[in-house]
Amino acid sequence: MLTNNIRAAITAVNGHVPDYVLTNKELETMVDTTDEWITTRTGVKERRILKGNGLGASDMAAPCTLGLCEKRGISPEDIDMIICATVTPDMVFPATANVVADKIGAKNAFGFDLNAACSGFVYALSTGAKFVESGSHKKVVVIGVDKMSAIVDYTDRSTCILFGDGAGAVLLEPTEEEVGVMDSLLYSDGAGRHYLKQAAGGSVKPSTHETVDAKEHFIFQDGQPVFKYAVLKMADVSVEIMEKNNLTGDDVAWLVPHQANLRIIDACARRMGLGKEKVMINIEKYGNTTAATIPLCLWEWETQLKKGDNIILSAFGGGFTWGGVYVKWAYDS
Ligand code: UT7
């Protein structure tokens, strides 16, 4: 519910993916898998990997945010807030948002990281919008970035085929027009924490030789329960946000789903009554980049978006977390 007439409009979008392409063919040489299995079970054909020592999430998020400023024609010093959604921060602390601000010269921004795994971007977008709607902040950068290759076990065929690295970002600015972030529904259920996690390295199980030997710093995923919950909850929240805003499938121009598995995306679109032509899908090129999937889609589809388009962003991820955001696109590119 708005307390004034200010909405948070997305006024620019940008993406950044590393150059190295890890194909299904290359994965066939690393683990017991096939291009056919990966393609039919997940939809992924290739993913990008950030190679090089000493490079982390901020090395994708910083160029992504600089490019965002260039596209909008603003200086990094104009930014007053940076929210960085990630589960693969440069370090446990300080926050990667702080590192990004320093690297790009965003001297007037405060920032923090937000951890909601694959729902990170929808959580962060909704959070950033509140700061703009309140009138307190006027140029808020929302980043979704993950270097999943840092926590993927490339001997585990059930997870290494899924994930990739990348960053996407949007700029939020105030508007009094009927565009921007119109509504959001965010949920979580911590009982799901056992099915998708990085078990060690936190305060419960600090890093030791034993945790490294037990591979507890890699992603653990019990795929089937996660899959079942994801299909249900991503579709539920997408339908719920449509109904709450009196939108039918005909009113929705685009679904921007988190890219975890093509079968989850298809199920979600079906429940919403949307044809494939209205669904942004790039999982075949990038795999699951966790917090970056949704802004990477917006970046790739930007030229097709028109002012006034009704767009539903929808995600499900570790936590469990899930959520939907209803955006009215604010500009013709
Ligand atoms: O983004 C955050 C949320 N994450 C998700 O939404 C992911 C949700 N889960 C999934 O997308 C799916 O569960 C996976 C893609 C991870 C796995 O697909 P699945 O259809 O659930 O496969 P499964 O785990 O039931 O495994 C089926 C078979 C097993 O063999 P057996 O036991 O039937 O002989 C696996 O060992 O497929 C085997 N398998 C593989 N075979 C070839 C698992 N991974 C592979 C592989 N290549 N890479």
Side-chain angles (χ1 to χ4, degrees):
M1 200 58 172
L2 292 179
T3 50
N4 53 32
N5 288 329
I6 304 172
R7 289 190 187 279
I10 295 176
T11 55
V13 55
N14 201 30
H16 180 94
V17 288
D19 293 333
Y20 190 84
V21 179
L22 175 59
T23 61
N24 289 353
K25 277 276 162 237
E26 187 175 350
L27 281 168
E28 283 180 359
T29 69
M30 296 160 67
V31 287
D32 180 15
T33 191
T34 61
D35 172 44
E36 206 260 330
W37 192 96
I38 303 170
T39 306
T40 53
R41 305 306 289 171
T42 72
V44 186
K45 298 293 280 184
E46 57 190 43
R47 63 295 283 142
R48 299 301 181 96
I49 304 295
L50 182 64
K51 296 265 188 185
N53 284 337
L55 298 180
S58 72
D59 294 290
M60 296 181 285
C64 182
T65 309
L66 265 187
L68 184 76
C69 292
E70 272 163 33
K71 277 177 92 169
R72 183 61 182 150
I74 64 166
S75 155
E77 293 187 8
D78 297 330
I79 300 168
D80 44 28
M81 177 175 185
I82 297 176
I83 308 178
C84 185
T86 186
V87 291
T88 50
D90 282 16
M91 293 162 272
V92 174
F93 76 92
T96 298
N98 303 146
V99 181
V100 171
D102 182 54
K103 284 186 174 177
I104 67 171
K107 293 194 179 82
N108 300 308
F110 91 104
F112 57 87
D113 289 0
L114 185 154
N115 176 341
C118 296
S119 308
F121 187 77
V122 293
Y123 271 48
L125 182 65
S126 178
T127 305
K130 304 292 180 205
F131 279 82
V132 174
E133 288 162 9
S134 75
S136 66
H137 290 72
K138 297 203 162 35
K139 288 198 168 37
V140 175
V141 172
V142 178
I143 304 168
V145 59
D146 270 299
K147 184 190 169 190
M148 298 307 289
S149 62
I151 57 168
V152 163
D153 176 2
Y154 285 99
T155 65
D156 174 6
R157 69 176 182 171
S158 69
T159 53
C160 73
I161 52 140
L162 297 170
F163 295 98
D165 303 339
V170 299
L171 179 67
L172 293 175
E173 294 183 82
T175 179
E176 293 194 12
E177 290 186 65
E178 273 291 296
V179 293
V181 176
M182 309 299 285
D183 196 11
S184 56
L185 291 169
L186 305 174
Y187 295 102
S188 67
D189 179 355
R193 68 190 183 280
H194 305 294
Y195 301 104
L196 181 51
K197 63 184 175 187
Q198 184 182 353
S203 56
V204 161
K205 211 180 246 198
S207 312
T208 61
H209 288 296
E210 288 71 30
T211 61
V212 172
D213 290 345
K215 298 187 169 190
E216 288 177 312
H217 297 273
F218 291 128
I219 299 167
F220 167 85
Q221 176 170 254
D222 189 354
Q224 281 193 3
V226 178
F227 183 90
K228 277 184 202 146
Y229 224 77
V231 166
L232 187 70
K233 294 300 180 185
M234 219 166 103
D236 278 355
V237 76
S238 307
V239 170
E240 189 187 350
I241 202 159
M242 281 170 71
E243 287 176 354
K244 190 173 163 223
N245 291 279
N246 298 315
L247 298 170
T248 65
D250 290 341
D251 303 318
V252 174
W254 294 100
L255 167 66
V256 194
H258 170 54
Q259 315 276 310
N261 188 314
L262 191 54
R263 291 180 288 146
I264 299 174
I265 296 172
D266 287 345
C268 185
R270 261 198 312 277
R271 278 273 307 279
M272 295 169 74
L274 297 183
K276 264 220 145 130
E277 70 289 350
K278 288 186 171 185
V279 186
M280 296 187 192
I281 299 171
N282 59 13
I283 191 172
E284 71 285 358
K285 284 197 291 187
Y286 304 132
N288 183 351
T289 54
T290 303
T293 59
I294 288 177
L296 280 175
C297 281
L298 291 173
W299 169 57
E300 289 212 320
W301 267 262
E302 184 189 17
T303 55
Q304 295 183 52
L305 301 178
K306 294 186 211 63
K307 186 170 180 179
D309 275 354
N310 292 318
I311 301 177
I312 303 290
L313 320 182
S314 179
F316 179 89
F320 293 137
T321 55
W322 64 102
V325 180
Y326 165 32
V327 171
K328 231 183 212 308
W329 199 248
Y331 62 96
D332 296 312
S333 68

